Amino acid sequence: MARFCWLLLLALAVVSCCGHAATVEHTFDVGNVSISQLCRRAVIIAVNGRLPGPMIHVHEGDTVVVHVVNNSPYNITVHWHGLFQRGTQWADGPEMVTQCPIRPGTRYTYQYNATGQEGTLWWHAHSSMLRATVHGAIVIKPRNGDKGYPFPKPDKEEIILLGEWWNRNVFDLEREAFLTGILPDPADAYTINGKPGNKHKCQGSNRRPGTLKLKVQSNSTYLLRIINAGVNTPMYFKVAGHKFTVVGADASYTTPYETDVVAVAPGQTVDALMAADAAPSRRYYMVASPYNSARPGNQPFRKATATAIVEYNDAGAPGSARRRRRPVLAPRMPRFGDTAVAHRFLTGLTALLRPGQATVPLAVDTSMFVTVGLGFADCRPEQTRCQSPVFAGSMNNASFVLPTGTSLLEAHFRNATAGVYTRDFPDRPPLEFNYAKPPSNVDVTTNKSTKVRTVRYNATVEVVLQNTALVARESHPMHLHGHNFFVLAQGIGNFHRDAAVRRYNLLNPQERNTLAVPSGGWAVIRFIANNPGMWIMHCHFDAHLPIGLAMAFEVQDGPTPDTALPPPPADLPQC
């Protein structure tokens, strides 16, 4: 009896200390929603009638089940951005990579686990430009809740979702861009949690669109979970009168980093502590503004800002009765093209060293040098309103085309690759030149293909991502599915191995799933291919994925059933 009681107490202590895995279940009803935005009515595609969509809140180790019901008129898939999907590779979500789309009037259930990750991620549509309105946050807490944070427990947490808004139907916008070969128009506005803010004015009246108000309490600390859900635009983020301590990025903890500005590219997340230590009698603007890295500056973007208001809610604070009449303080934002500010932030983060953390593999099995950028290509037969040549994205001069009849993962699983993809993605570009300042006679044309790079299970892969300036140079946010990677070094200009290796951070490099390759520069990433399946790496500008700025890694099975790709679910959507 005494032994039984002791074991029971031990079990209760373990549950109390470490928590237990649970199943978190959601239903996502995807359909038409009528909302008011920029002082006009609009019909958008959204989840459960909300913009942004519902938050998925879990603890590390939990299982997530999401029933997606497609009541929209369009094909849809959902990608769980940054989730490893180990053992649930078929649930990753990118259309024609891991699955065929969920057709209108049908449904599909995604199931995956949140093991080995803590922090902020997000989910979004991976079909057409529908991610502009089909997106939401994923918060993964430590198993034992807030006590597991490697930083002081915040008093409250807030989701800050940065986005872009078009007055036009985004599906039609993307379709027209494909048919004509012309990049889509820039967004009509930027948003914070779906609201553009009061810097916009309704045409013909003094009314202004909706504005998010964040209520704070003096001497409290807030964990802001900042997500750039934008389609094509990197963002700066500031709060007037306040500073941040960055403690996480892409669901990986960072060494505390003090800053008054956050730079976040599409697809990236940043966790930042903000102390509410300003005068409570004032109100303060929270601002998101675009970072336009393109040079020359002829790439269109919207010169606008999204705003929210931080308002102190202290009962009985001096001046509280007059607070609404006091002017708000606005932060001084970086210039739209201030590459130095973005580069300083994006290269300044390092990983927080802690027990059990993954370390950088030192021996490299597969070494690649991959150029990324824009060039030109001939129109495809399906582009019925196109005049050659048109913009094309490419990696090592291969402009990626998604298959139409079978997903890459299904072709890989069934070993039926003929007509779907080839295994000849090159480790080096076909032509070497001055990538940062190309000579005028360099050929800027590329060819369409579906090439993948096959790597063995558990191989260490190092990739040098070199930006090119063939047409324009800009910071491309490169996202790798199914894995995190270590960012060993970044720089401006051309990559020179001897000099770069001396700068490699092999101790505590930041760990990411999305990297903003410096404008006119390069970055070195390293990862372990420990997830069998088919994993796309692509630019997270939605305008650049359809024109080919992507490739895929085909990771072979490991030696055991647990390290092999499982068969597809019985209800996997069919093409």
Side-chain angles (χ1 to χ4, degrees):
M1 184 66 179
R3 177 179 173 82
F4 172 78
C5 292
W6 182 85
L7 290 173
L8 179 60
L9 288 172
L10 178 62
L12 291 173
V14 169
V15 170
S16 174
C17 167
C18 304
H20 62 281
T23 297
V24 177
E25 194 165 2
H26 289 265
T27 296
F28 281 12
D29 187 341
V30 184
N32 288 338
V33 178
S34 177
I35 70 170
S36 178
Q37 190 75 290
L38 295 183
C39 310
R40 64 179 73 186
R41 298 302 299 179
V43 175
I44 63 171
I45 305 300
V47 173
N48 297 353
R50 297 162 53 184
L51 176 67
M55 178 180 73
I56 295 177
H57 188 281
V58 297
H59 289 82
E60 191 275 326
D62 286 352
T63 296
V64 182
V65 178
V66 182
H67 309 285
V68 176
V69 183
N70 187 5
N71 287 314
S72 83
Y74 310 115
N75 292 338
I76 196 78
T77 68
V78 180
H79 170 51
W80 317 96
H81 187 111
L83 269 297
F84 293 149
Q85 302 292 358
R86 291 189 183 125
T88 55
Q89 292 89 334
W90 299 92
D92 190 45
E95 183 175 355
M96 302 315 300
V97 179
T98 57
Q99 68 168 97
C100 300
I102 307 169
R103 305 292 183 185
T106 66
R107 59 191 295 156
Y108 177 58
T109 295
Y110 292 93
Q111 181 168 323
Y112 55 89
N113 59 65
T115 301
Q117 296 179 273
E118 296 176 11
T120 307
L121 297 171
W122 63 301
W123 58 266
H124 60 83
H126 216 295
S127 304
S128 182
M129 273 179 60
L130 294 176
R131 102 158 186 248
T133 53
V134 179
H135 61 248
I138 300 175
V139 172
I140 307 174
K141 292 277 191 81
R143 286 198 183 216
N144 57 342
D146 299 348
K147 297 178 182 178
Y149 289 145
F151 48 81
K153 177 186 173 182
D155 296 290
K156 195 174 180 183
E157 302 184 8
E158 298 286 350
I159 299 293
I160 305 295
L161 243 159
L162 312 181
E164 293 176 86
W165 172 265
W166 279 263
N167 288 325
R168 291 185 55 191
N169 179 298
V170 293
F171 181 90
D172 294 341
L173 191 71
E174 192 275 338
R175 183 64 181 165
E176 181 179 333
F178 174 77
L179 293 175
T180 61
I182 300 173
L183 295 177
D185 292 334
D188 292 292
Y190 307 110
T191 59
I192 299 176
N193 288 9
K195 300 178 183 297
N198 62 9
K199 290 294 185 180
H200 294 269
K201 189 176 180 180
C202 298
Q203 190 172 3
S205 77
N206 289 322
R207 293 190 305 114
R208 296 183 185 274
T211 303
L212 171 72
K213 288 188 178 180
L214 179 63
K215 302 283 189 176
V216 300
Q217 191 80 18
S218 286
N219 302 316
S220 297
T221 301
Y222 293 79
L223 177 61
L224 304 184
R225 297 181 180 272
I226 305 162
I227 303 167
N228 188 341
V231 176
N232 294 317
T233 305
M235 295 282 191
Y236 300 116
F237 176 81
K238 295 185 80 169
V239 176
H242 297 74
K243 293 185 177 181
F244 309 117
T245 301
V246 175
V247 293
D250 290 0
S252 296
Y253 293 117
T254 64
T255 305
Y257 180 83
E258 307 291 334
T259 182
D260 68 342
V261 60
V262 168
V264 56
Q268 291 184 325
T269 71
V270 173
D271 291 343
L273 297 171
M274 183 186 79
D277 54 5
S281 59
R282 307 295 292 267
R283 293 182 295 158
Y284 303 87
Y285 266 129
M286 174 188 293
V287 178
S289 65
Y291 161 46
N292 180 38
S293 64
R295 297 291 182 275
N298 55 6
Q299 301 294 309
F301 76 102
R302 183 68 57 189
K303 294 182 178 180
T305 60
T307 58
I309 292 177
V310 174
E311 186 171 279
Y312 282 72
N313 200 29
D314 298 17
S320 59
R322 303 188 305 275
R323 187 177 299 122
R324 288 190 174 277
R325 295 193 297 272
R326 296 295 299 270
V328 293
L329 296 181
R332 182 176 180 179
M333 300 302 292
R335 301 185 311 276
F336 293 129
D338 198 333
T339 296
V341 170
H343 188 66
R344 183 165 55 249
F345 177 86
L346 293 169
T347 60
L349 301 180
T350 55
L352 179 66
L353 294 177
R354 47 199 308 250
Q357 175 189 336
T359 56
V360 182
L362 301 181
V364 174
D365 301 299
T366 299
S367 181
M368 303 172 66
F369 183 93
V370 179
T371 54
V372 297
L374 301 180
F376 293 102
D378 290 332
C379 297
R380 295 160 60 185
E382 315 93 278
Q383 295 177 286
T384 55
R385 293 160 51 197
C386 176
Q387 293 185 343
S388 296
V390 294
F391 276 124
S394 68
M395 300 178 68
N396 277 356
N397 206 40
S399 188
F400 194 77
V401 178
L402 288 169
T404 56
T406 305
S407 74
L408 294 177
L409 187 58
E410 188 159 2
H412 162 79
F413 178 78
R414 303 192 186 287
N415 198 24
T417 62
V420 182
Y421 66 87
T422 59
R423 295 184 170 101
D424 56 346
F425 183 84
D427 286 350
R428 298 287 183 275
L431 180 67
E432 293 185 9
F433 56 93
N434 185 335
Y435 306 108
K437 295 181 180 180
S440 58
N441 61 347
V442 171
D443 186 1
V444 296
T445 59
T446 183
N447 295 312
K448 297 292 182 178
S449 60
T450 309
K451 297 182 178 183
V452 309
R453 176 60 161 89
T454 303
V455 295
R456 66 172 177 80
Y457 176 78
N458 230 28
T460 296
V461 182
E462 181 174 293
V463 185
V464 176
L465 294 166
Q466 172 69 60
N467 239 322
T468 66
L470 291 173
V471 175
R473 61 179 174 87
E474 61 184 310
S475 176
H476 294 280
M478 301 303 296
H479 172 48
L480 175 62
H481 288 228
H483 303 78
N484 277 358
F485 49 76
F486 298 101
V487 184
L488 303 188
Q490 302 178 66
I492 303 299
N494 292 308
F495 174 80
H496 298 287
R497 177 163 293 279
D498 290 343
V501 167
R502 290 194 293 269
R503 296 170 51 188
Y504 279 13
N505 180 353
L506 300 175
L507 176 64
N508 63 340
Q510 58 179 295
E511 203 175 341
R512 288 278 198 172
N513 63 59
T514 305
L515 167 70
V517 182
S519 178
W522 53 269
V524 182
I525 66 173
R526 190 179 290 181
F527 67 97
I528 300 175
N530 55 7
N531 202 358
M534 191 68 76
W535 306 107
I536 190 171
M537 181 165 70
H538 65 95
C539 179
H540 219 265
F541 292 151
D542 259 22
H544 290 177
L545 177 55
I547 64 174
L549 217 171
M551 57 83 64
F553 286 101
E554 180 184 44
V555 181
Q556 296 175 329
D557 285 352
T560 66
D562 288 343
T563 58
L565 175 68
D571 61 342
L572 187 74
Q574 299 299 303
C575 292

